[in-house]
Amino acid sequence: MRLLTSPLPVACICKYFHVSSFSRSQDHPKSPISLRRNLSIHSTRFQSKSITANMGIETPAFILGALTAGGGTFGYIKTGSIPSVAAGVTVGALYLLGGYRIQTKQSYGVELALLASIVLAGSSIPRALRSQKPLPTGLSLLALYGLYAYGSAYRAKL
């Protein structure tokens, strides 16, 4: 409480916040309650200019894109499977493009990442259930994470 009554914090408050009116109550001029009640404080330093629902979700899109594209390329190198490289690079490109569009605040970034998650889930979950091998199961977990993250962000945009 002592910090709020000294002149230094009031100067700090005035420095970091836009103070539209400054008046103290008559009962106790340095009362912290009266300062809080009578100051109309609008944050200018700590308040974000645009807070969106999809802030910070571009990084998982970049990671998922690199993992799926790298995994498809690795599958082609290991087994010579052209469908692996085609699907991996396509889904990875969708994730990377979605992450880029989210980062640059362009439209349809979340939707592209959600589409990539739907495609990945549609191809990997049935294979994981049938074969119960680690690779389709890992891809299914990545797809489920993408569905959760980008489905939540899409729902928050609505």
Side-chain angles (χ1 to χ4, degrees):
M1 290 303 200
R2 179 161 170 73
L3 287 177
L4 288 175
T5 59
S6 70
L8 182 61
V10 173
C12 291
I13 289 173
C14 293
K15 180 180 176 184
Y16 293 119
F17 295 96
H18 175 274
V19 179
S20 61
S21 68
F22 186 88
S23 64
R24 295 186 177 175
S25 76
Q26 307 300 338
D27 53 344
H28 194 282
K30 292 186 177 183
S31 166
I33 296 171
S34 66
L35 285 176
R36 266 187 264 131
R37 183 178 51 215
N38 293 328
L39 286 178
S40 176
I41 299 175
H42 305 285
S43 170
T44 57
R45 181 171 183 193
F46 301 113
Q47 189 176 26
S48 175
K49 297 282 182 196
S50 69
I51 299 174
T52 60
N54 55 358
M55 186 170 62
I57 61 171
E58 67 273 0
T59 304
F62 291 139
I63 292 171
L64 289 171
L67 285 174
T68 54
T73 305
F74 181 74
Y76 174 74
I77 291 170
K78 186 176 176 186
T79 63
S81 172
I82 293 178
S84 285
V85 73
V89 169
T90 302
V91 170
L94 284 173
Y95 273 125
L96 292 172
L97 182 62
Y100 173 75
R101 292 184 73 88
I102 292 169
Q103 185 178 36
T104 58
K105 305 211 184 317
Q106 296 177 358
S107 59
Y108 301 113
V110 173
E111 289 84 355
L112 281 171
L114 183 59
L115 175 66
S117 298
I118 291 169
V119 169
L120 185 60
S123 67
S124 66
I125 291 176
R127 265 190 308 152
L129 293 175
R130 269 194 315 269
S131 69
Q132 294 186 356
K133 291 183 179 178
L135 181 68
T137 304
L139 286 174
S140 299
L141 291 175
L142 288 176
L144 289 173
Y145 173 75
L147 285 172
Y148 173 75
Y150 299 109
S152 299
Y154 180 74
R155 187 176 48 226
K157 281 176 62 171
L158 296 179

